[in-house]
Amino acid sequence: MSYGAGADFPGLSNSKPTSAINKGLDENVSSLYKAWSKLLSDSSQSSSSGEDDSEYESPPHFENCRMLIEMNHRLDTRLRNGSYPPWTIWKGKLDDLPLGERDEQLKYYRDQIIAEGNYPPWVSGSDVENYPMTRKVQRDLWLHQHPVSCNDPSVKFLLADWERSPGFGIGAQLAGMTGLLAIAVNEKRVLVTGYYNRADHDGCKGSSRSSWSCYFFPETSTECKNRALELMNETLAWQKGLMTRKENYTSKDIWSGRTPK
């Protein structure tokens, strides 16, 4: 249902002129805009409006994007000794602490053993707000896709491009790749995705161009992706079964395959 010029809005009485409603909305928007604009100026600059902007939330684009990228990269990367990332309930909030205090807290968290109950921090909400076992499955999938050493001769790969047929929408593409992930998990292979046509545009910059990492966390580490691309050119790797591709499996395998337990 659409509302055209002069249409009545649900819950609003016709007794109040539309001009008065618009005036009230315009004042609220103007007030919020002024508060956000003040946050852009030097914090030491005195305010002339006399308004208290502490009651307004920061606009979404005020987030420190560089800090968020660095934090997410750290939480998606094993530590140098091969142990898990610092997955704790702090979710990277230590970045707000002074450098010295942050280092002490990081040392404490990194010295902790990642035991049952410590899961990847990107699952939001409580357990009852998610599908059962969501956190455990996310943890298991991350561990499967991030072996300690991608160069270990025992690590096998499934290298797969995304479906490109015009008849496949984004939902169908994701469904197909989900099937390939299930195959990879069942065969104890690391899934490495290739060219993604939906990310082949100027909005996806750098290494995220033509990759679904433009929208989501990468499915595996850069080291594993580079190792798979290296093995792709070795005939012996294919002969030994270290590498498979989408064409090694039937449509039934991909679209109605067995889901890992």
Side-chain angles (χ1 to χ4, degrees):
M1 181 176 183
S2 60
Y3 294 99
D8 295 332
F9 286 83
L12 294 179
S13 170
N14 290 333
S15 62
K16 188 172 184 179
T18 304
S19 58
I21 297 173
N22 290 338
K23 184 174 185 295
L25 291 173
D26 289 344
E27 289 176 351
N28 289 336
V29 171
S30 175
S31 177
L32 184 61
Y33 177 80
K34 286 168 61 178
W36 283 355
S37 297
K38 284 169 55 183
L39 293 176
L40 281 172
S41 63
D42 188 347
S43 59
S44 62
Q45 185 176 346
S46 60
S47 171
S48 59
S49 65
E51 294 181 3
D52 180 15
D53 55 329
S54 62
E55 62 181 294
Y56 300 107
E57 293 187 10
S58 296
H61 60 277
F62 271 40
E63 292 182 317
N64 187 328
C65 295
R66 180 180 296 277
M67 185 190 75
L68 288 176
I69 290 172
E70 292 174 352
M71 181 185 77
N72 287 334
H73 177 72
R74 183 165 63 252
L75 296 178
D76 195 38
T77 306
R78 284 184 180 270
L79 302 181
R80 289 183 179 179
N81 62 2
S83 61
Y84 300 170
W87 289 342
T88 57
I89 58 173
W90 60 280
K91 292 190 177 182
K93 297 301 184 182
L94 294 181
D95 288 326
D96 296 333
L97 296 176
L99 188 60
E101 186 178 350
R102 183 198 317 166
D103 289 343
E104 285 301 312
Q105 290 294 317
L106 279 175
K107 183 177 185 300
Y108 166 73
Y109 283 123
R110 285 172 178 166
D111 287 344
Q112 284 185 319
I113 297 175
I114 305 298
E116 194 72 21
N118 293 104
Y119 299 112
W122 45 80
V123 180
S124 300
S126 64
D127 287 338
V128 297
E129 294 172 315
N130 291 281
Y131 286 115
M133 308 291 284
T134 292
R135 283 184 165 82
K136 186 178 190 310
V137 170
Q138 284 289 308
R139 168 188 162 129
D140 291 347
L141 288 176
W142 191 93
L143 292 175
H144 173 87
Q145 289 291 114
H146 294 79
V148 175
S149 174
C150 301
N151 293 314
D152 189 312
S154 65
V155 177
K156 301 184 294 183
F157 300 92
L158 194 170
L159 182 62
D161 281 338
W162 293 78
E163 297 286 355
R164 304 188 205 181
S165 170
F168 286 92
I170 294 177
Q173 288 177 312
L174 288 171
M177 195 56 72
T178 299
L180 288 164
L181 175 60
I183 292 172
V185 172
N186 283 324
E187 294 189 354
K188 295 182 171 51
R189 297 181 182 277
V190 176
L191 176 67
V192 176
T193 66
Y195 174 79
Y196 186 40
N197 60 343
R198 303 287 180 168
D200 192 1
H201 55 76
D202 293 338
C204 296
K205 306 294 185 182
S207 61
S208 69
R209 179 71 181 252
S210 302
S211 170
W212 81 319
S213 62
C214 183
Y215 311 115
F216 305 101
F217 280 157
E219 73 279 2
T220 188
S221 64
T222 302
E223 292 75 18
C224 274
K225 179 161 284 193
N226 290 339
R227 176 60 175 165
L229 295 176
E230 176 186 319
L231 290 176
M232 180 181 68
N233 298 314
E234 298 183 10
T235 303
L236 193 59
W238 295 97
Q239 293 174 348
K240 288 185 173 181
L242 295 178
M243 292 289 300
T244 57
R245 56 167 62 94
K246 183 168 58 178
E247 289 71 22
N248 289 101
Y249 309 97
T250 66
S251 295
K252 184 177 180 180
D253 293 332
I254 297 172
W255 295 97
S256 58
R258 183 169 57 91
T259 302
K261 294 296 182 183

